Every structure is written in structure tokens, then in C-alpha cells.
Amino acid sequence: MRRLACLLLTAALLPAVVLPTVAWAAPLPEVPPANLPPEAVVVAALDNHPTVSAAGQRVSAARAAANALAKGTHEVLVTGTIQTRDVTNERRYAEFDTQVLRPIRLPGKAALDREAGVLGVDVAHNRMEDSRHQTALLLSQLWFDWLTAGELHRVDLANVAVLDEALAAVTRRQQLRDAAALDVDQARAARDQAQGTAAMSAADMNEARALLAANFPDLPLPDQPPALGEVPTPANDLATLRDLVIARSHEIGAADREAARLGTLARRAERDRTADPSVGFRAFSERGGMERGGGLVLQIPLGGGYRKALAEEAGAQASAGLLDLANVRREVEAMADGDLANARGRRSAWEGIAASARSTAQAATRTARGQQLGAIDLADALLARRQAHEAARLEVAARSAAIRSLIKLEIDSHVIWADEDTDEHPA
């Protein structure tokens, strides 16, 4: 008790060489929900991204191709000859020969062509939506890279402020001959290191903003990143979101429509083993019109090994399309399971790391109080401060990972940042 009273009296009479207790004892702040850009702004930025626009043009190309398939390549062919004939001991005669010929698709082929064209449009549309989805994942990654870098920078700046005050306090005590020069050196080294760390996090923050602005110039950005926010609680159950990832997958939709298109083309190739006939009309005039004639023309190509080989190729492609569909379905299901496990695991990890950060902050607070009373060396106080700073940075990284995992699950399930015409495909 006498030792404690002396320590308290000494702390009251002498200028304190302390690390400010407010900064050491500050609890983890109550943060707002994850800060995302406005939905309408994100949708516009995604729609204007070059990869999404290019995919939209491929949808237009698929529609044009579908129209071409519906029309068919069976065009009217007109051939003609105009000539003169010089007959010995007679005279020169004007003659002509003309023929109009058009191939005709046999029954059933036109319907298959139209079906293949419609399926091709479906494939292009699903691929466009998948391209948009991948672009949304890129935007999310770059956005949270920026927010995380900003949050780390704010943590580093707070650490610099604390160590600046500590250095000033130690310097005052050294001037009063109540602290050794070694204490000043230790405090200055800790402060300088903190400034270096803050400078690096500032560079990371500026780089993240530059990458985000360059990839999405249509997305308005403030000068400083918003707060990272807390780990959100999704409106839907995580298992429900996992099921929606599969049900709304445009990768599965594209593979499904492509398999159906290849199957249609295989049936079309099988029918094409019987070649389309060509019918038309022929008219001629010879010997100056003394001989005239006209009649119907019929051409029927006789298919052989070439058409059979093409049909076999198309059949193999259709089988490969079904296997590709099965593979894509497995990949999407694996991704959905991974999203679910990651969202659950990252949140649990963050909760543990956040608890550790709070405990580390409390330990640093007690160490600071002990240093105020002279019971703990400055080196130990600086060590506790460094551990608290590292724990705070680790908490930010864990919180960022937890938020990213949930946002990715919501993007993959098309709950956020989805186009209005999002389709659901059966799993």
C-alpha cells in the first residue's frame, strides 16, 4: 500500500511521461453497415463497362445470325447467255439461254434452323449477363480494396497521433532530466516507424483509388474512401443465397442453351445428309427465234461420305456440349458451396479476431496506466502499443474479408447489382 501511495504521489507531482490513455483505452467503434455505392450508380457503371457493352453487341450479332438462319442460304440463282451464231451459207443468228434456279429446304430443316438461331441468341444473352456478373465481381474487389486501404490508413494515422504525443511527453521529461535519452530514442523510433507504415498505407489507398477510377470511370468517387463498415447481415439466409447462386447462374444458362443449340445442329446435320433439291425454269431461243423452248429444271445433289462425316461431327459436338453442361454445373455448385463456406468461416474468423483486438486494446490500456505509475518501462508500453496497432490492422483485414465474402455471395446469387431481366435457370 505504501508503494502504491508513493507511486500515485509521484504521478501527481511529476510531468507524466505517458502514452495518452484515451487512445489506448478506446473501444472498437460502432461502425455502420458495409458502405456500398448506390445501386443505380453501380448498375449504370456496369452497363457502360466495355466488356459488358461488347457482350451486348454479340447479342445483336446473334440476333442477326438467327435472322440469317431463318431466311436460309437458299437464294435465287439467275444464269443466262446471249450469243450470236454464224451459220455457213446462211446468216448470223441472235440466240439466248436463261435459267432461274432456287434451292428448296426440305421439310423440317427450316424449323431446325430457326430453333438453332433462337438458341444462339439465348446463349449470347446468358454470356452477356455472365460477363456483367464477372464485371460486378471486379468492381466489388476494387471497391473493397479501396475501402480496406482507407480503413488501414485511418488506423495508422491514429497510431501516429498517439506516438507523436508519447514522443512529446518523453522529450519534456528528458528536458526536465526525468527521462533518459534512450527513452527519447525509443519513442522517436516507434513514431518514425508508425509514420512509415502510414505512408505505405496511404500509397496503397491512392493506388486502389486509381485502379478503381481507371476501370470504372463512370463511377463517381469521393476524394477519401468511405468507412469500411461492419460485417452485414444478409436479408436472405446464407443457405438460400447458395441455392440462388445455382438457380440464377448465367454460366449454367449459357451452357444449357449451347448444349441445346448443338443438339439442334446435330439433328439438322443428320437431315442434311439428304441434300436440298433445286428447282427452276429454263427458256431459250435459237436461230434467231426459229427455235424456242422452255421447261422446268430440277437439280438433286447426291450426298456421300462428306455429308455423313459432317453429321457425325455435329453429333459428337452435341455430346460434348452435354458434358460441358455437366462440368459447368459442377463448377457452379462448387463455387456456391465455396461461397457459403467462405461467408460462414470468414465471419466466424472476424468475430474471433475482433475479440482478440479488444483484449489487446484492454491490455494496452492497463500497460499504459502502469507506465503512468512508473511500474512499467516505456519500452514495454511501446511494445503493448505496437501489439494493439497490429491487432487493429488484423481486425480490419479480417472484417474486410468477411464483408467481401458476403458481398460476393450476394453478387453471385444476383441479389444485388443484378440487371432487371435476370433469368432463373433450373439447376
Side-chain angles (χ1 to χ4, degrees), residues 146-222:
W146 185 42
L147 265 59
T148 303
E151 197 80 4
L152 290 172
H153 184 56
R154 284 187 283 269
V155 169
D156 293 340
L157 289 179
N159 189 48
V160 170
V162 169
L163 293 175
D164 269 337
E165 294 183 14
L167 176 60
V170 173
T171 302
R172 286 195 302 270
R173 283 198 61 179
Q174 196 266 343
Q175 292 171 351
L176 296 173
R177 300 181 181 278
D178 191 47
L182 178 61
D183 291 337
V184 177
D185 292 339
Q186 289 178 331
R188 180 176 290 110
R191 193 279 313 270
D192 292 344
Q193 183 180 15
Q195 287 181 335
T197 302
M200 288 191 295
S201 63
D204 292 340
M205 180 179 66
N206 294 332
E207 179 188 12
R209 188 187 189 282
L211 291 174
L212 179 60
N215 279 276
F216 297 94
D218 298 323
L219 186 68
L221 299 176

Coordinates of all heavy atoms in Angstrom, one line a residue, residues 146-222:
W146 N -10.1 -0.5 -52.0 CA -10.0 1.0 -51.7 C -10.5 1.2 -50.3 O -9.8 1.9 -49.5 CB -10.8 1.8 -52.7 CG -10.7 3.3 -52.5 CD1 -9.5 4.0 -52.3 CD2 -11.7 4.2 -52.6 NE1 -9.8 5.3 -52.2 CE2 -11.2 5.5 -52.4 CE3 -13.1 4.1 -52.9 CZ2 -11.9 6.7 -52.5 CZ3 -13.8 5.3 -53.0 CH2 -13.2 6.5 -52.8
L147 N -11.7 0.7 -49.9 CA -12.2 0.9 -48.6 C -11.3 0.3 -47.5 O -11.1 0.9 -46.4 CB -13.6 0.3 -48.4 CG -14.8 1.3 -48.7 CD1 -14.7 1.9 -50.1 CD2 -16.1 0.6 -48.5
T148 N -10.7 -0.9 -47.8 CA -9.8 -1.5 -46.8 C -8.6 -0.7 -46.6 O -8.1 -0.5 -45.5 CB -9.5 -3.0 -47.2 OG1 -10.7 -3.7 -47.4 CG2 -8.6 -3.7 -46.2
A149 N -8.0 -0.3 -47.7 CA -6.8 0.5 -47.6 C -7.0 1.8 -46.9 O -6.2 2.3 -46.1 CB -6.3 0.9 -49.0
G150 N -8.2 2.4 -47.1 CA -8.6 3.6 -46.3 C -8.7 3.4 -44.9 O -8.3 4.2 -44.0
E151 N -9.4 2.3 -44.5 CA -9.6 1.9 -43.1 C -8.2 1.7 -42.4 O -8.0 2.1 -41.3 CB -10.4 0.7 -43.0 CG -11.0 0.5 -41.6 CD -12.3 1.4 -41.4 OE1 -12.7 2.1 -42.3 OE2 -12.8 1.3 -40.2
L152 N -7.3 1.0 -43.1 CA -6.0 0.7 -42.6 C -5.2 2.0 -42.4 O -4.5 2.2 -41.4 CB -5.2 -0.2 -43.4 CG -5.7 -1.7 -43.5 CD1 -5.0 -2.5 -44.5 CD2 -5.5 -2.3 -42.1
H153 N -5.4 2.9 -43.4 CA -4.7 4.2 -43.3 C -5.2 5.0 -42.1 O -4.4 5.7 -41.4 CB -4.9 5.0 -44.5 CG -4.1 6.3 -44.6 ND1 -2.8 6.4 -44.4 CD2 -4.6 7.6 -44.8 CE1 -2.4 7.6 -44.5 NE2 -3.4 8.4 -44.7
R154 N -6.5 5.0 -41.8 CA -7.0 5.7 -40.6 C -6.5 5.1 -39.3 O -6.2 5.8 -38.4 CB -8.5 5.7 -40.7 CG -9.1 6.7 -41.7 CD -10.6 6.7 -41.6 NE -11.3 5.6 -42.2 CZ -11.7 5.5 -43.4 NH1 -11.5 6.6 -44.3 NH2 -12.3 4.4 -43.9
V155 N -6.4 3.8 -39.3 CA -5.8 3.1 -38.1 C -4.3 3.6 -37.9 O -3.9 3.9 -36.8 CB -5.9 1.6 -38.3 CG1 -5.1 0.9 -37.2 CG2 -7.3 1.1 -38.2
D156 N -3.6 3.6 -39.1 CA -2.2 4.0 -39.0 C -2.0 5.5 -38.5 O -1.1 5.8 -37.8 CB -1.5 3.8 -40.3 CG -1.4 2.3 -40.7 OD1 -1.5 1.5 -39.8 OD2 -1.3 2.0 -41.9
L157 N -2.9 6.4 -39.0 CA -2.8 7.8 -38.6 C -3.1 7.9 -37.2 O -2.5 8.7 -36.5 CB -3.8 8.6 -39.5 CG -3.5 8.8 -40.9 CD1 -4.5 9.6 -41.6 CD2 -2.1 9.5 -41.1
A158 N -4.1 7.2 -36.7 CA -4.4 7.2 -35.2 C -3.2 6.8 -34.4 O -2.9 7.3 -33.3 CB -5.6 6.4 -34.9
N159 N -2.5 5.8 -34.9 CA -1.3 5.3 -34.2 C -0.2 6.3 -34.2 O 0.5 6.5 -33.2 CB -0.8 4.0 -34.9 CG 0.3 3.3 -34.1 OD1 0.1 3.1 -32.9 ND2 1.3 2.9 -34.8
V160 N 0.0 7.0 -35.3 CA 1.0 8.1 -35.4 C 0.6 9.2 -34.4 O 1.5 9.7 -33.7 CB 1.0 8.6 -36.8 CG1 1.9 9.9 -36.9 CG2 1.6 7.6 -37.8
A161 N -0.6 9.5 -34.3 CA -1.0 10.6 -33.4 C -0.7 10.2 -31.9 O -0.2 11.1 -31.1 CB -2.5 10.9 -33.5
V162 N -1.0 9.0 -31.6 CA -0.7 8.5 -30.2 C 0.8 8.6 -30.0 O 1.3 9.1 -28.9 CB -1.2 7.1 -30.0 CG1 -0.7 6.5 -28.7 CG2 -2.7 7.1 -30.0
L163 N 1.6 8.1 -30.9 CA 3.1 8.1 -30.7 C 3.7 9.4 -30.8 O 4.7 9.7 -30.2 CB 3.7 7.1 -31.7 CG 3.3 5.6 -31.5 CD1 3.9 4.8 -32.7 CD2 3.8 5.1 -30.2
D164 N 3.1 10.4 -31.5 CA 3.5 11.8 -31.5 C 3.4 12.3 -30.1 O 4.3 13.0 -29.6 CB 2.7 12.6 -32.5 CG 3.3 12.6 -33.9 OD1 4.6 12.4 -34.0 OD2 2.6 12.9 -34.9
E165 N 2.3 12.1 -29.5 CA 2.1 12.6 -28.1 C 3.0 11.9 -27.1 O 3.6 12.6 -26.2 CB 0.6 12.4 -27.7 CG -0.4 13.2 -28.5 CD -1.8 12.9 -28.0 OE1 -2.0 12.4 -26.9 OE2 -2.8 13.3 -28.7
A166 N 3.3 10.7 -27.3 CA 4.2 10.0 -26.5 C 5.6 10.5 -26.6 O 6.3 10.7 -25.6 CB 4.2 8.5 -26.8
L167 N 6.0 10.8 -27.8 CA 7.4 11.4 -28.1 C 7.5 12.7 -27.4 O 8.5 13.1 -26.8 CB 7.6 11.4 -29.6 CG 9.0 12.1 -29.9 CD1 10.2 11.4 -29.3 CD2 9.1 12.2 -31.5
A168 N 6.4 13.5 -27.5 CA 6.5 14.9 -26.9 C 6.6 14.8 -25.4 O 7.3 15.6 -24.8 CB 5.2 15.7 -27.3
A169 N 5.8 13.8 -24.8 CA 5.9 13.7 -23.4 C 7.3 13.2 -22.9 O 7.8 13.8 -21.9 CB 4.8 12.7 -22.9
V170 N 7.8 12.3 -23.6 CA 9.2 11.8 -23.2 C 10.2 12.9 -23.4 O 11.1 13.1 -22.6 CB 9.5 10.6 -24.1 CG1 11.0 10.2 -23.8 CG2 8.6 9.4 -23.7
T171 N 10.1 13.7 -24.5 CA 11.0 14.8 -24.7 C 10.9 15.8 -23.6 O 12.0 16.3 -23.1 CB 10.7 15.5 -26.0 OG1 10.8 14.5 -27.1 CG2 11.7 16.6 -26.3
R172 N 9.7 16.1 -23.1 CA 9.6 17.1 -22.0 C 10.3 16.5 -20.7 O 11.0 17.3 -20.0 CB 8.1 17.4 -21.7 CG 7.5 18.3 -22.8 CD 6.1 18.8 -22.3 NE 5.2 17.7 -22.0 CZ 4.3 17.2 -22.8 NH1 4.3 17.6 -24.1 NH2 3.5 16.3 -22.4
R173 N 10.1 15.3 -20.5 CA 10.7 14.7 -19.3 C 12.2 14.6 -19.4 O 12.9 14.8 -18.4 CB 10.1 13.3 -19.1 CG 8.7 13.3 -18.5 CD 8.4 11.9 -17.9 NE 9.4 11.6 -16.8 CZ 9.3 10.5 -16.0 NH1 8.3 9.6 -16.3 NH2 10.1 10.2 -15.1
Q174 N 12.7 14.4 -20.6 CA 14.1 14.4 -20.8 C 14.7 15.8 -20.6 O 15.8 15.9 -20.0 CB 14.5 13.9 -22.2 CG 15.9 13.4 -22.4 CD 16.8 14.5 -22.9 OE1 16.3 15.5 -23.5 NE2 18.1 14.4 -22.8
Q175 N 14.0 16.8 -21.0 CA 14.4 18.2 -20.7 C 14.4 18.5 -19.2 O 15.2 19.3 -18.8 CB 13.5 19.1 -21.5 CG 13.6 19.1 -23.0 CD 12.6 19.9 -23.7 OE1 11.7 20.4 -23.1 NE2 12.7 20.0 -25.0
L176 N 13.5 17.8 -18.5 CA 13.5 18.0 -17.0 C 14.4 17.1 -16.3 O 14.4 17.0 -15.1 CB 12.1 17.8 -16.5 CG 11.0 18.9 -17.0 CD1 9.6 18.5 -16.6 CD2 11.4 20.3 -16.5
R177 N 15.2 16.3 -17.1 CA 16.2 15.3 -16.6 C 15.5 14.2 -15.8 O 16.0 13.7 -14.8 CB 17.2 16.0 -15.7 CG 18.0 17.1 -16.4 CD 19.1 17.7 -15.5 NE 19.9 18.7 -16.2 CZ 20.9 18.5 -17.0 NH1 21.3 17.2 -17.2 NH2 21.5 19.5 -17.6
D178 N 14.2 13.9 -16.2 CA 13.5 12.8 -15.6 C 13.4 11.6 -16.5 O 12.7 10.7 -16.1 CB 12.1 13.4 -15.2 CG 11.4 12.4 -14.2 OD1 12.0 11.9 -13.3 OD2 10.2 12.1 -14.5
A179 N 14.0 11.7 -17.6 CA 13.9 10.6 -18.6 C 15.3 10.5 -19.3 O 15.9 11.6 -19.5 CB 12.8 10.7 -19.6
A180 N 15.7 9.3 -19.6 CA 17.0 9.1 -20.3 C 16.8 9.4 -21.8 O 15.7 9.4 -22.4 CB 17.4 7.7 -20.1
A181 N 18.0 9.7 -22.4 CA 18.0 9.9 -23.9 C 17.5 8.7 -24.6 O 17.0 8.7 -25.7 CB 19.4 10.3 -24.3
L182 N 17.8 7.5 -24.0 CA 17.4 6.2 -24.6 C 15.9 6.2 -24.8 O 15.3 5.7 -25.8 CB 17.9 5.0 -23.8 CG 17.4 3.7 -24.3 CD1 18.0 3.4 -25.7 CD2 17.9 2.6 -23.3
D183 N 15.1 6.7 -23.8 CA 13.7 6.7 -23.9 C 13.2 7.6 -25.0 O 12.3 7.2 -25.8 CB 13.1 7.3 -22.6 CG 13.3 6.3 -21.4 OD1 13.4 5.1 -21.6 OD2 13.2 6.8 -20.2
V184 N 13.9 8.7 -25.2 CA 13.5 9.6 -26.4 C 13.8 8.9 -27.7 O 13.0 8.9 -28.6 CB 14.3 10.9 -26.3 CG1 14.0 11.8 -27.5 CG2 14.0 11.7 -25.0
D185 N 14.9 8.2 -27.8 CA 15.3 7.5 -29.0 C 14.2 6.4 -29.3 O 13.8 6.2 -30.4 CB 16.7 6.8 -28.9 CG 17.8 7.9 -28.8 OD1 17.5 9.0 -29.3 OD2 18.9 7.6 -28.4
Q186 N 13.8 5.7 -28.2 CA 12.8 4.6 -28.4 C 11.5 5.2 -28.9 O 10.8 4.6 -29.8 CB 12.7 3.8 -27.1 CG 13.8 2.9 -26.7 CD 13.6 2.2 -25.4 OE1 12.9 2.8 -24.5 NE2 14.2 1.0 -25.3
A187 N 11.1 6.3 -28.2 CA 9.8 6.9 -28.6 C 9.8 7.4 -30.0 O 8.9 7.3 -30.8 CB 9.4 8.0 -27.6
R188 N 11.0 8.0 -30.4 CA 11.1 8.6 -31.8 C 11.2 7.5 -32.8 O 10.6 7.6 -33.9 CB 12.4 9.5 -31.9 CG 12.5 10.1 -33.3 CD 13.7 11.0 -33.3 NE 13.4 12.2 -32.6 CZ 14.0 12.6 -31.5 NH1 15.0 11.8 -30.9 NH2 13.7 13.7 -30.9
A189 N 11.8 6.4 -32.5 CA 11.9 5.3 -33.4 C 10.5 4.7 -33.7 O 10.1 4.3 -34.8 CB 12.9 4.2 -32.9
A190 N 9.7 4.5 -32.6 CA 8.4 4.0 -32.7 C 7.5 4.9 -33.5 O 6.7 4.5 -34.4 CB 7.8 3.8 -31.3
R191 N 7.7 6.3 -33.3 CA 6.9 7.2 -34.1 C 7.3 7.2 -35.5 O 6.4 7.2 -36.4 CB 7.1 8.6 -33.4 CG 6.1 9.7 -33.9 CD 6.4 10.3 -35.3 NE 7.8 10.7 -35.4 CZ 8.3 11.9 -35.0 NH1 7.4 12.8 -34.5 NH2 9.6 12.2 -35.1
D192 N 8.5 7.2 -35.8 CA 9.0 7.2 -37.2 C 8.5 5.9 -38.0 O 8.1 6.0 -39.1 CB 10.5 7.3 -37.3 CG 11.0 8.6 -36.8 OD1 10.2 9.6 -36.7 OD2 12.2 8.7 -36.5
Q193 N 8.6 4.8 -37.3 CA 8.1 3.6 -37.9 C 6.6 3.7 -38.2 O 6.1 3.2 -39.3 CB 8.4 2.4 -37.0 CG 8.0 1.0 -37.6 CD 8.3 -0.1 -36.7 OE1 8.5 0.0 -35.5 NE2 8.2 -1.3 -37.3
A194 N 5.9 4.2 -37.3 CA 4.4 4.4 -37.5 C 4.2 5.3 -38.7 O 3.2 5.1 -39.4 CB 3.8 4.9 -36.2
Q195 N 5.0 6.4 -38.8 CA 4.8 7.3 -39.9 C 5.1 6.6 -41.2 O 4.4 6.8 -42.2 CB 5.7 8.5 -39.8 CG 5.2 9.5 -38.7 CD 6.2 10.7 -38.6 OE1 7.4 10.6 -38.9 NE2 5.6 11.8 -38.1
G196 N 6.1 5.7 -41.2 CA 6.4 5.0 -42.5 C 5.3 4.0 -42.8 O 4.9 3.9 -44.0
T197 N 4.7 3.4 -41.8 CA 3.6 2.5 -42.1 C 2.4 3.3 -42.6 O 1.7 2.8 -43.5 CB 3.2 1.7 -40.8 OG1 4.3 1.0 -40.3 CG2 2.0 0.8 -41.0
A198 N 2.1 4.4 -42.0 CA 1.0 5.3 -42.5 C 1.3 5.7 -44.0 O 0.3 5.8 -44.8 CB 0.8 6.5 -41.6
A199 N 2.5 6.0 -44.3 CA 2.8 6.5 -45.7 C 2.6 5.3 -46.6 O 2.1 5.5 -47.8 CB 4.3 6.9 -45.7
M200 N 2.9 4.1 -46.2 CA 2.7 2.9 -47.1 C 1.2 2.7 -47.3 O 0.7 2.4 -48.4 CB 3.4 1.7 -46.6 CG 4.9 1.7 -46.7 SD 5.7 0.2 -46.3 CE 5.3 0.0 -44.6
S201 N 0.5 2.8 -46.2 CA -1.0 2.6 -46.4 C -1.6 3.7 -47.2 O -2.6 3.4 -47.9 CB -1.6 2.5 -45.0 OG -1.5 3.7 -44.3
A202 N -1.1 4.9 -47.1 CA -1.6 6.0 -48.0 C -1.3 5.7 -49.4 O -2.2 5.9 -50.3 CB -1.0 7.3 -47.5
A203 N -0.1 5.2 -49.7 CA 0.2 4.8 -51.1 C -0.7 3.7 -51.6 O -1.2 3.7 -52.7 CB 1.6 4.3 -51.2
D204 N -1.0 2.7 -50.7 CA -1.9 1.6 -51.1 C -3.3 2.2 -51.4 O -4.0 1.8 -52.3 CB -2.0 0.6 -50.0 CG -0.7 -0.2 -49.8 OD1 0.1 -0.2 -50.8 OD2 -0.5 -0.8 -48.7
M205 N -3.8 3.1 -50.5 CA -5.1 3.7 -50.7 C -5.2 4.5 -52.0 O -6.1 4.4 -52.8 CB -5.4 4.7 -49.5 CG -6.7 5.3 -49.6 SD -7.0 6.4 -48.1 CE -5.7 7.7 -48.4
N206 N -4.1 5.3 -52.3 CA -4.1 6.0 -53.6 C -4.1 5.1 -54.8 O -4.7 5.4 -55.8 CB -3.0 7.0 -53.6 CG -3.1 8.1 -52.6 OD1 -4.2 8.5 -52.2 ND2 -2.0 8.6 -52.1
E207 N -3.3 4.0 -54.7 CA -3.2 3.1 -55.8 C -4.6 2.4 -56.0 O -5.0 2.2 -57.1 CB -2.2 2.0 -55.5 CG -2.0 1.0 -56.6 CD -1.1 -0.2 -56.3 OE1 -0.7 -0.3 -55.1 OE2 -0.8 -0.9 -57.2
A208 N -5.2 2.0 -54.9 CA -6.5 1.4 -55.0 C -7.6 2.3 -55.7 O -8.4 1.8 -56.5 CB -7.0 0.9 -53.7
R209 N -7.5 3.6 -55.3 CA -8.5 4.5 -55.9 C -8.2 4.7 -57.4 O -9.1 4.8 -58.2 CB -8.4 5.8 -55.2 CG -9.5 6.8 -55.6 CD -9.3 8.2 -55.0 NE -10.5 9.0 -55.3 CZ -10.7 9.6 -56.5 NH1 -9.9 9.5 -57.5 NH2 -11.8 10.4 -56.7
A210 N -6.9 4.8 -57.7 CA -6.6 4.9 -59.2 C -7.0 3.8 -60.0 O -7.5 3.9 -61.1 CB -5.0 5.1 -59.3
L211 N -6.8 2.5 -59.5 CA -7.3 1.3 -60.2 C -8.8 1.3 -60.4 O -9.3 1.0 -61.4 CB -6.8 0.1 -59.5 CG -5.3 -0.2 -59.5 CD1 -5.0 -1.4 -58.6 CD2 -4.8 -0.4 -60.9
L212 N -9.5 1.7 -59.3 CA -11.0 1.7 -59.3 C -11.5 2.8 -60.3 O -12.3 2.5 -61.1 CB -11.5 2.0 -57.9 CG -13.0 2.1 -57.8 CD1 -13.7 0.8 -58.2 CD2 -13.4 2.4 -56.4
A213 N -10.9 3.9 -60.3 CA -11.3 5.0 -61.2 C -11.0 4.7 -62.7 O -11.7 5.0 -63.6 CB -10.6 6.3 -60.8
A214 N -9.8 4.0 -62.9 CA -9.4 3.7 -64.3 C -10.3 2.6 -64.8 O -10.7 2.7 -66.0 CB -8.0 3.3 -64.3
N215 N -10.7 1.6 -64.0 CA -11.5 0.5 -64.5 C -13.0 0.9 -64.6 O -13.7 0.4 -65.5 CB -11.4 -0.7 -63.6 CG -10.2 -1.5 -63.9 OD1 -10.1 -2.3 -64.8 ND2 -9.1 -1.2 -63.1
F216 N -13.5 1.8 -63.8 CA -14.9 2.3 -63.8 C -14.9 3.8 -63.7 O -15.3 4.4 -62.7 CB -15.6 1.6 -62.6 CG -15.7 0.1 -62.7 CD1 -14.7 -0.6 -62.0 CD2 -16.7 -0.5 -63.4 CE1 -14.8 -2.0 -62.0 CE2 -16.7 -1.9 -63.4 CZ -15.7 -2.6 -62.8
P217 N -14.6 4.5 -64.8 CA -14.6 5.9 -64.8 C -16.0 6.5 -64.7 O -16.1 7.7 -64.3 CB -14.0 6.3 -66.2 CG -14.3 5.1 -67.1 CD -14.2 3.9 -66.1
D218 N -17.0 5.7 -64.9 CA -18.4 6.2 -64.8 C -18.9 6.2 -63.3 O -20.0 6.7 -63.0 CB -19.4 5.4 -65.6 CG -19.1 5.5 -67.1 OD1 -18.7 6.6 -67.5 OD2 -19.2 4.5 -67.8
L219 N -18.1 5.6 -62.4 CA -18.5 5.5 -61.0 C -17.9 6.7 -60.3 O -16.7 6.9 -60.1 CB -17.9 4.2 -60.4 CG -18.3 3.9 -59.0 CD1 -19.8 3.6 -58.9 CD2 -17.5 2.7 -58.4
P220 N -18.8 7.6 -59.8 CA -18.3 8.8 -59.1 C -17.7 8.4 -57.7 O -18.2 7.6 -57.0 CB -19.5 9.7 -58.9 CG -20.7 8.7 -59.0 CD -20.3 7.6 -59.9
L221 N -16.5 9.0 -57.5 CA -15.7 8.6 -56.3 C -15.4 9.8 -55.5 O -14.9 10.9 -56.0 CB -14.4 7.9 -56.6 CG -14.6 6.5 -57.4 CD1 -13.2 6.0 -57.7 CD2 -15.3 5.5 -56.6
P222 N -15.6 9.8 -54.2 CA -15.1 10.9 -53.3 C -13.6 10.9 -53.2 O -12.9 9.9 -53.6 CB -15.8 10.7 -52.0 CG -16.0 9.2 -52.0 CD -16.2 8.8 -53.4

